[in-house]
Amino acid sequence: MTISHFSAVVLFSLFTSIVFGITQRSEPKKMAQFGALCFVLFVGGTIAASWLMWFIKH
Amino acid sequence: MTKAQGYAVAGGKAVEENTVGGVSPVLVLLAGWLVPGAGHLLLRKWWRAGLLALSIVGMFAIGIALKGKVYQMNFGEPLDMLGSAGDLGAGLLYGLARFLGWGQDPVLVAVADYGTKFIVVGGLLNIIAAVDAHSLAIGRKRS
């Protein structure tokens, strides 16, 4: 099996965010909110770091 | 025992003796570690159990499919020890992988290295999930 780097980021972020959301909050609504926040931070942070590395290289 | 922000505040032993749903907290912890989501299943948290199982087994399966490395117990190499500790968190999945010889090929490409991380993080997430189930079982986490 081969996946793109972006797909790996999305899958990693999705599964990790689900576990973080369920385990770090007590109410279903808060779980969903925290999980969504983690997902956005994971993916956004990776994209930001990628652009930073691109600028350093160029 | 007093409660603040959804968590019980009490001495260790008093908390350990407090069970929720009549299931032993130690059993919940062990089940959650051995089988992803089983701790929450014992506590009848159906949706949480399903999502946790899907996420952790998914992480582990993707890691194996990407030809990630499953660490062996190697006490001579500190990084291998840390890796195997993370892998061991996956419980029976780790045993199954070792038994069937999964993840023993050398890591040659970047995607396979990602697979290694998926497997380790899957194990670590399973430990978090098992501890969460234990916290629910002893009443430290309200719901």
Side-chain angles (χ1 to χ4, degrees):
Chain A
M1 176 179 158
T2 302
I3 57 174
S4 69
H5 294 221
F6 185 72
S7 302
V9 169
V10 170
L11 286 171
F12 184 95
S13 305
L14 178 69
F15 291 140
T16 307
S17 300
I18 289 171
V19 177
F20 281 0
I22 291 173
T23 58
Q24 303 303 312
R25 293 294 181 270
S26 295
E27 297 163 13
K29 189 179 175 185
K30 297 280 184 190
M31 288 176 185
Q33 287 175 346
F34 187 68
L37 174 68
C38 287
F39 181 78
V40 169
L41 289 177
F42 269 127
V43 176
T46 306
I47 292 171
S50 304
W51 275 108
L52 179 67
M53 287 188 280
W54 186 86
F55 282 119
I56 290 171
K57 184 180 178 184
H58 295 87
Chain B
M1 184 163 58
T2 60
K3 296 203 172 194
Q5 295 178 342
Y7 292 88
V9 180
K13 191 164 185 190
V15 169
E16 284 294 334
E17 288 170 355
N18 179 20
T19 60
V20 175
V23 185
S24 163
V26 176
L27 179 65
V28 168
L29 182 66
L30 278 175
W33 169 55
L34 289 172
V35 181
H40 288 79
L41 204 64
L42 286 174
L43 297 171
R44 296 185 175 85
K45 304 280 185 188
W46 313 115
W47 282 103
R48 293 186 207 185
L51 285 171
L52 288 170
L54 178 76
S55 301
I56 293 162
V57 175
M59 289 278 283
F60 199 87
I62 289 170
I64 294 291
L66 292 176
K67 299 195 182 302
K69 177 182 178 182
V70 175
Y71 287 96
Q72 299 182 22
M73 295 292 177
N74 182 359
F75 295 103
E77 293 287 333
L79 285 179
D80 278 9
M81 282 173 61
L82 290 172
S84 57
D87 284 0
L88 203 56
L92 289 179
L93 287 175
Y94 177 68
L96 186 70
R98 291 294 307 277
F99 181 72
L100 296 175
W102 293 340
Q104 301 305 314
D105 299 330
V107 174
L108 300 175
V109 292
V111 174
D113 194 41
Y114 293 169
T116 304
K117 272 58 181 180
F118 268 74
I119 294 168
V120 172
V121 173
L124 294 174
L125 290 175
N126 192 41
I127 292 173
I128 293 174
V131 170
D132 182 64
H134 181 259
S135 295
L136 285 166
I138 63 174
R140 192 190 308 150
K141 188 179 179 186
R142 190 169 50 193
S143 64

